[in-house]
């Protein structure tokens, strides 16, 4: 029998004192909840704080888990959030990906184009110029513009006041110019029409799970630059990150209550007063509440429409949540030499050509998927090359909608299993064809997550991976605001990803302490003390 492996997340235990009153209650111990808790401790004098988490360990979507002696992970890379880790004194042994950021294969019929996208914006620019010399000037202009635009984002304020807003056109003209521009619109602006070059550039909108003709140009640029400038992963398993944050939070006086599902946010006269935990008697009173869970769950179920203005409910109803996924985690035997397979990049991505992301997203919006032999997009990640553990491969396949997955899981488990296996075979076939010959012969353990898995695990009604979709129509001021219509209830949703979740903590705590720590800045730029 395989030996059980100890993961850091399992070492973090509830330290809930049973108290019934807190200054701050945070719902969810994912990275948004933990960063909010740690930022709050650092910038207030030890006020009573409780994080409530329905799962038995911290981390939410950023985690690791064991199956039959193999350790699988959800997340695969750290964007550059080193300054925040230092600020919070989170000590992690991180591997920096020095060489290439991504190995990218684009399949057109029998032809396969391969690109090795280097880490670092300047390296990326030089690489694109060498691959596409006819477009050199356009590439340089686009990249310089992108870097400059991202710098201007740094000048913006979260929860901008009227005075802040009046300054924006002067401080951040490129941000203003791009507020309603899609990423394809940005490529058009620089005359980038070469389909192969576009396909490579549009890789970065897939980070946000949206096609480039709908993605916010600012968001896609930010995702590209924050991820590729410097990127990392832990030498250990990914659960180390939230485990360390949770331990620090507890050491600094915070309490975490695991296995505790919030079933109601209690609202009286338009003001959040506390929470009710499922199966527990009475309420926990809270001066302030931060919710980090899916906004549909938080506002429509935990708060309830009766406490919300009709316009807010309508906005929620019209909000498009990000996609869900099928994830195939494979434990492989030791006959396969992973080091020879050229897979040691944060991402290895294979897809069919230009237009694929749009078709797949349309399939998702229609409530299902549009994958076929001629239309696919898949990431292959190989964490064991860093951790040194038994060989693992993860195939990450988006977008899928929740569709019938939940129904099958709950009422027709045989069908659920059959569908899971069908899709796993499909994606293993693609991985075998383009990355790992004879992969199927080496599989020892197979663990398949479906949209129903993501929905159950995170509590998101749609199994959404990245919260609100990063569409141009719901980015920046058009996104649901952090200040909710319920007094004392905050919902920080700057954006998804490890970078975004850290900013959620920065922004919400800065708001709560009247901008005394980050001066209202939308990105991390703490005031010197
Ligand atoms: C498969 C996958 C791979 C990813 N890879 C990367 C990557 O490589 N790099 C990157 O930067 N980002 C990545 N992301 C995105 C990133 O992981 C997420 O954006 C981030 O972890 C979200 O953190 P969060 O705290 O906002 O939300 P979550 O992680 O969703 O945390 C919310 C928490 O709330 C809890 N909760 C829900 N309902 C309740 C309730 N009623 N009561 C109490 N608790 C509740 C949940 O159990 C959960 O722990 C990935 C996401 C996925 C799904």
């Amino acid at each position: 029998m395989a030996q059980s492996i100890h993961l850091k997340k399992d070492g973090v235990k509830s330290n809930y004192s049973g108290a019934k009153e807190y200054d701050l209650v945070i719902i969810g111990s994912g990275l948004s909840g933990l960063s909010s808790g740690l930022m709050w401790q650092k910038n207030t004098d030890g006020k009573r704080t409780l994080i409530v988490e329905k799962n038995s360990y911290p981390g939410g979507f950023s985690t690791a888990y064991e199956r039959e002696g193999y350790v699988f992970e959800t997340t695969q890379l750290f964007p550059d959030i080193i300054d925040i880790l230092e600020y919070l004194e989170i000590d992690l042994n991180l591997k920096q990906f020095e060489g290439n950021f991504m190995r990218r294969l684009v399949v057109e019929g029998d032809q396969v184009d391969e690109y090795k996208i280097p880490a670092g914006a300047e390296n990326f620019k030089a690489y694109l110029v060498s691959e596409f010399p006819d477009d050199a000037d356009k590439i340089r202009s686009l990249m310089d513009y992108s870097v400059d635009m991202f710098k201007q984002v740094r000048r913006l304020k979260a929860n901008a006041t009227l005075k802040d807003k009046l300054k924006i056109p002067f401080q951040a003209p490129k941000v203003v110019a791009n507020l309603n521009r899609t990423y394809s619109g940005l490529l058009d602006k620089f005359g980038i029409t070469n389909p192969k070059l576009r396909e490579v550039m549009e890789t970065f909108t897939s980070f946000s799970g949206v096609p480039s003709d709908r993605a916010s140009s600012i968001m896609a640029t930010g995702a590209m630059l924050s991820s590729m400038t410097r990127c990392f992963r832990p030498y250990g398993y990914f659960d180390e990150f939230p485990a360390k944050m949770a331990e620090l939070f507890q050491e600094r006086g915070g309490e975490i209550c695991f296995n505790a599902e919030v079933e109601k946010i209690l609202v009286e006269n338009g003001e959040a007063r506390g929470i009710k935990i499922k199966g527990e008697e009475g309420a926990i009173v809270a001066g302030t509440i931060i919710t980090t869970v899916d906004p549909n769950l938080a506002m429509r179920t935990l708060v309830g429409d009766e406490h919300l203005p009709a316009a807010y409910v309508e906005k929620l109803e019209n909000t498009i949540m990000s996609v869900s996924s099928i994830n195939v985690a494979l434990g492989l035997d030791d006959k396969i030499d992973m080091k020879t397979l050229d897979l040691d990049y944060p991402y290895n991505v294979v897809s069919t050509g230009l237009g694929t992301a749009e078709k797949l997203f349309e399939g998702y919006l229609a409530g299902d998927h549009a994958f076929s032999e001629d239309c696919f997009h898949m990431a292959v990640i190989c964490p064991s090359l860093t951790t040194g553990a038994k060989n693992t491969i993860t195939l990450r396949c988006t977008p899928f909608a929740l569709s019938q997955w939940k129904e099958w899981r709950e009422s027709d488990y045989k069908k659920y299993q059959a569908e899971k296996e069908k899709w796993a075979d499909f994606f293993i076939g693609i991985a075998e064809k383009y990355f790992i010959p004879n992969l199927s012969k080496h599989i020892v353990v197979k663990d398949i997550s479906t949209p129903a898995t993501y929905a159950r695990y995170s509590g998101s009604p749609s199994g959404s991976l990245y919260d609100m979709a990063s569409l141009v129509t719901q980015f920046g001021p058009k996104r649901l605001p952090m200040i909710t219509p319920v007094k004392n209830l905050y919902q920080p949703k700057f954006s998804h990803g490890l970078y975004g979740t850290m900013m959620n903590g920065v922004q919400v705590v800065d708001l709560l302490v009247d901008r005394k720590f980050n001066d209202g800045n939308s990105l991390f730029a703490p005031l010197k003390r």
Side-chain angles (χ1 to χ4, degrees):
M1 217 175 108
Q3 225 186 351
S4 177
I5 294 168
H6 175 77
L7 290 170
K8 295 271 192 315
K9 72 178 194 324
D10 298 324
V12 187
K13 304 290 176 207
S14 259
N15 66 341
Y16 174 48
S17 64
K20 293 290 176 202
E21 200 172 338
Y22 289 85
D23 295 302
L24 174 66
V25 167
I26 298 170
I27 307 175
S29 73
L31 299 179
S32 294
L34 292 167
S35 68
S36 302
L38 286 169
M39 290 286 173
W40 168 255
Q41 287 175 325
K42 180 121 184 166
N43 291 288
T44 62
D45 35 12
K47 296 199 176 174
R48 295 164 305 166
T49 315
L50 174 69
I51 298 182
V52 185
E53 168 58 54
K54 75 174 175 56
N55 290 334
S56 56
Y57 50 82
F61 270 148
S62 182
T63 195
Y65 58 97
E66 190 228 316
R67 295 281 182 272
E68 299 175 44
Y70 287 87
V71 178
F72 301 116
E73 297 174 322
T74 49
T75 23
Q76 60 274 341
L77 75 88
F78 261 90
D80 195 349
I81 50 171
I82 301 302
D83 51 354
I84 302 187
L85 300 185
E86 283 169 2
Y87 177 80
L88 293 175
E89 295 161 78
I90 299 169
D91 181 21
L92 278 174
N93 189 14
L94 294 176
K95 160 175 167 171
Q96 182 169 356
F97 288 95
E98 297 282 0
N100 289 323
F101 172 72
M102 184 188 294
R103 183 170 165 216
R104 178 80 175 92
L105 304 185
V106 183
V107 179
E108 295 276 8
D110 291 336
Q111 194 190 328
V112 182
D113 290 322
E114 177 165 25
Y115 304 95
K116 298 245 175 112
I117 299 179
E122 280 303 314
N123 297 339
F124 182 46
K125 185 165 73 178
Y127 172 77
L128 289 176
V129 166
S130 70
E131 286 285 314
F132 303 97
D134 293 348
D135 293 299
D137 288 343
K138 295 174 190 169
I139 292 167
R140 285 193 195 100
S141 306
L142 169 69
M143 286 302 291
D144 293 347
Y145 185 90
S146 301
V147 169
D148 205 34
M149 177 162 73
F150 194 48
K151 273 190 201 145
Q152 292 185 9
V153 171
R154 292 203 156 273
R155 297 180 198 145
L156 299 180
K157 301 285 182 191
N159 299 295
T161 61
L162 181 61
K163 203 169 143 201
D164 298 330
K165 283 182 191 158
L166 292 173
K167 288 187 199 156
I168 296 174
F170 308 99
Q171 291 177 324
K174 290 198 169 90
V175 174
V176 175
N178 285 283
L179 207 52
N180 295 316
R181 188 175 275 144
T182 62
Y183 191 62
S184 13
L186 185 64
L187 299 182
D188 292 343
K189 176 178 157 61
F190 286 90
I192 296 194
T193 49
N194 178 341
K196 290 189 188 250
L197 173 56
R198 274 186 94 102
E199 180 65 45
V200 175
M201 297 304 298
E202 291 181 5
T203 296
F204 291 97
T205 53
S206 65
F207 278 157
S208 320
V210 285
S212 61
D213 66 346
R214 289 173 183 260
S216 149
S217 55
I218 304 171
M219 173 70 202
T221 302
M224 173 177 85
L225 294 174
S226 68
S227 302
M228 69 179 305
T229 305
R230 286 200 302 167
C231 78
F232 309 83
R233 62 147 294 136
Y235 278 105
Y237 302 120
F238 240 101
D239 67 311
E240 264 188 46
F241 180 38
K244 198 148 261 183
M245 288 174 88
E247 279 163 1
L248 280 176
F249 174 75
Q250 291 180 328
E251 272 165 40
R252 294 171 186 171
E255 293 180 30
I256 309 183
C257 186
F258 292 114
N259 296 310
E261 181 175 343
V262 176
E263 66 175 6
K264 262 311 171 204
I265 294 174
L266 305 169
V267 180
E268 270 173 43
N269 302 323
E271 198 170 323
R273 300 274 190 199
I275 54 160
K276 163 88 178 63
I277 294 175
K278 202 171 174 179
E280 295 288 325
E281 288 293 315
I284 296 179
V285 175
T288 301
I289 299 176
I290 297 174
T291 166
T292 67
V293 304
D294 184 300
N296 287 297
L297 168 68
M299 302 309 290
R300 306 214 58 192
T301 308
L302 303 188
V303 169
D305 289 0
E306 66 278 18
H307 296 295
L308 299 170
Y312 189 86
V313 174
E314 196 185 331
K315 189 162 174 139
L316 259 174
E317 272 170 352
N318 292 331
T319 295
I320 296 176
M321 293 306 290
S322 61
V323 300
S324 199
S325 170
I326 289 187
N327 202 71
V328 186
L330 300 173
L332 307 180
D333 64 25
D334 54 12
K335 294 192 195 87
I336 188 164
D337 185 358
M338 305 289 285
K339 292 197 186 78
T340 60
L341 292 170
D342 196 19
L343 290 170
D344 193 12
Y345 309 95
Y347 284 101
N348 302 277
V349 175
V350 60
S351 76
T352 41
L354 200 63
T356 296
E358 282 75 9
K359 279 187 221 148
L360 291 176
F361 196 72
E362 287 301 327
Y364 161 74
L365 286 180
D368 203 358
H369 72 86
F371 280 89
S372 71
E373 294 287 347
D374 305 317
C375 181
F376 57 83
H377 182 283
M378 178 177 85
V380 177
I381 299 128
C382 185
S384 56
L385 284 173
T386 303
T387 61
K390 287 165 77 170
N391 293 329
T392 52
I393 287 278
T394 300
L395 311 179
R396 192 151 292 144
C397 318
T398 46
F400 279 84
L402 185 58
S403 183
Q404 287 168 281
W405 287 101
K406 190 162 179 264
E407 216 173 287
W408 289 331
R409 189 173 193 284
E410 286 167 4
S411 329
D412 189 352
Y413 204 69
K414 218 166 140 191
K415 170 79 175 161
Y416 181 67
Q417 287 292 1
E419 285 292 318
K420 268 167 73 156
E421 291 296 332
K422 179 185 95 183
W423 282 107
D425 288 347
F426 176 77
F427 290 115
I428 289 167
I430 295 174
E432 200 160 48
K433 186 162 176 190
Y434 298 106
F435 290 109
I436 313 167
N438 297 317
L439 170 62
S440 44
K441 293 198 181 118
H442 297 282
I443 298 171
V444 179
V445 171
K446 189 165 34 169
D447 185 77
I448 309 159
S449 310
T450 71
T453 319
Y454 290 109
R456 177 177 50 85
Y457 179 76
S458 71
S460 161
S462 55
S464 152
L465 296 186
Y466 308 127
D467 212 273
M468 288 178 265
S470 301
L471 305 174
V472 72
T473 46
Q474 39 190 53
F475 177 72
K478 290 172 272 176
R479 214 163 163 80
L480 282 178
M482 182 155 64
I483 301 174
T484 74
V486 179
K487 200 170 167 223
N488 297 333
L489 176 65
Y490 298 89
Q491 181 167 239
K493 296 279 172 191
F494 169 68
S495 79
H496 69 276
L498 273 53
Y499 189 86
T501 54
M502 292 290 113
M503 289 321 143
N504 288 341
V506 168
Q507 291 190 351
V508 73
V509 170
D510 196 41
L511 178 73
L512 293 177
V513 299
D514 296 326
R515 294 186 166 189
K516 284 194 190 108
F517 112 80
N518 203 48
D519 201 21
N521 294 311
S522 69
L523 302 185
F524 181 64
L527 288 162
K528 301 263 180 306
R529 294 200 185 179

